[in-house]
């Protein structure tokens, strides 16, 4: 069974601080996605990383996929109150036929950025 | 224009009842999904359909029956509702359904089901 462990579960910081969220597994994934979910809404995709070692930047957010494609991190620089939300990592499950396209989600990191 | 829409937004019902949740996507995607998010925010896939055909069924009780009348719609019918079915149910869609190519899943706003 492929599982994704996400940490920390909760994170409360002051505006301007930096933070990193981790997503770890003992399994290899075909790709890793990061989503952000706001209360009362569905998750919205932030980024997809596919290649081991890949780094992608989205303004103040930096995403990295581990070399072995088993882990990923999300780093936010100079966090702002607008970054507040639930961050979810999701791994693309390796497999054949019907299991392709199946996402395994981590349990999420609830981030609160205080002004 | 809403890409993935679900109705109803909220559903409160008694144990033992049968209920349906509807989902529609106007993105022209081939693949649609149902996910369940529990009270701890854990999101887990239930079903996946590609072009009206079931391709993933993740050990969901057979009280849950998805139906796809066409590739733009994927409805979820639940029989004999139980307390443990209370959760937020999300519908999603993607172009192809193959994540290795960076396929993006677009989620609906969710349906909060409360079983009393």
């Amino acid at each position: 069974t492929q599982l994704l462990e996400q940490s920390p579960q909760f994170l409360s910081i002051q505006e301007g601080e930096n933070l990193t969220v981790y997503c770890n597994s003992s399994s290899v994934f075909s790709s890793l996605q990061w989503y952000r979910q706001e209360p009362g809404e569905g998750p919205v995709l932030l980024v997809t990383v596919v290649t081991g070692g890949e780094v992608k930047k989205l303004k103040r957010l930096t995403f990295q996929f581990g070399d072995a494609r088993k882990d990923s991190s999300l780093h936010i620089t100079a966090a702002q109150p607008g970054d507040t939300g639930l961050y979810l990592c999701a791994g693309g499950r390796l497999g054949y036929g019907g299991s392709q396209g199946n996402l395994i989600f981590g349990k999420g990191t609830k981030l609160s950025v205080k002004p | 224009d809403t890409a993935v829409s679900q109705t109803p937004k909220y559903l409160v019902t008694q144990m033992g009842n049968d209920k349906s949740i509807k989902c529609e996507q106007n993105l022209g995607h081939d693949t649609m999904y149902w996910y369940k998010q529990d009270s701890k925010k854990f999101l887990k896939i239930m079903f996946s359909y590609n072009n009206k055909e079931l391709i993933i069924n993740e050990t969901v009780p057979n009280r849950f029956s998805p139906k796809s009348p066409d590739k733009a719609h994927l409805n979820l019918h639940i029989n004999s509702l139980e307390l443990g079915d209370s959760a937020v149910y999300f519908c999603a869609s993607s172009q192809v359904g193959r994540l290795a190519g960076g396929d993006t899943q677009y989620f609906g706003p969710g349906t909060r089901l409360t079983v009393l």
Side-chain angles (χ1 to χ4, degrees):
Chain A
T1 305
Q2 291 175 290
L3 294 172
L4 271 171
E5 298 290 335
Q6 199 171 330
S7 62
Q9 192 177 351
F10 300 97
L11 193 51
S12 181
I13 60 173
Q14 292 295 129
E15 182 176 1
E17 291 183 15
N18 301 334
L19 67 112
T20 303
V21 178
Y22 299 94
C23 190
N24 296 298
S25 177
S26 58
S27 303
V28 177
F29 291 94
S30 62
S31 63
L32 204 296
Q33 298 187 327
W34 284 92
Y35 289 81
R36 183 169 158 225
Q37 184 179 12
E38 302 208 26
E41 296 181 12
V44 175
L45 181 68
L46 295 173
V47 79
T48 301
V49 284
V50 179
T51 308
E54 185 175 359
V55 176
K56 279 192 175 177
K57 291 194 173 184
L58 188 67
K59 296 182 181 177
R60 294 175 293 100
L61 278 59
T62 302
F63 305 86
Q64 185 162 6
F65 201 10
D67 290 341
R69 291 187 291 141
K70 293 182 179 181
D71 53 81
S72 181
S73 64
L74 156 61
H75 182 79
I76 301 179
T77 304
Q80 298 176 2
D83 295 328
T84 294
L86 178 70
Y87 289 82
L88 297 161
C89 66
R93 196 159 77 172
L94 285 173
Y96 302 94
S99 63
Q100 283 186 345
N102 190 357
L103 283 176
I104 305 294
F105 278 85
K107 292 194 175 180
T109 294
K110 194 167 182 180
L111 173 65
S112 173
V113 182
K114 296 180 176 147
Chain B
D1 283 348
T2 304
V4 182
S5 59
Q6 294 178 230
T7 53
K9 176 82 172 165
Y10 300 95
L11 186 52
V12 181
T13 188
Q14 299 285 335
M15 259 174 48
N17 284 350
D18 303 337
K19 290 292 177 187
S20 291
I21 307 172
K22 295 186 176 182
C23 177
E24 177 181 0
Q25 55 96 1
N26 62 6
L27 298 166
H29 288 167
D30 288 337
T31 306
M32 295 184 73
Y33 311 81
W34 276 110
Y35 288 86
K36 179 181 179 181
Q37 188 171 46
D38 62 24
S39 58
K40 295 184 179 178
K41 305 297 183 187
F42 184 47
L43 199 59
K44 189 172 180 184
I45 191 163
M46 300 172 69
F47 300 102
S48 170
Y49 267 73
N50 181 271
N51 260 321
K52 303 191 296 174
E53 289 189 25
L54 178 67
I55 57 173
I56 294 173
N57 179 341
E58 286 290 311
T59 59
V60 177
N62 58 14
R63 297 182 295 104
F64 291 79
S65 52
K67 283 190 173 55
S68 182
D70 54 62
K71 76 174 192 177
H73 295 84
L74 181 61
N75 304 323
L76 183 64
H77 188 77
I78 316 169
N79 289 327
S80 303
L81 278 155
E82 300 178 357
L83 294 175
D85 297 333
S86 295
V88 181
Y89 291 84
F90 286 99
C91 177
S93 74
S94 66
Q95 181 63 51
V96 176
R98 283 195 224 111
L99 285 170
D103 198 25
T104 299
Q105 291 193 17
Y106 294 84
F107 284 79
T111 295
R112 182 175 291 277
L113 171 65
T114 303
V115 182
L116 304 174

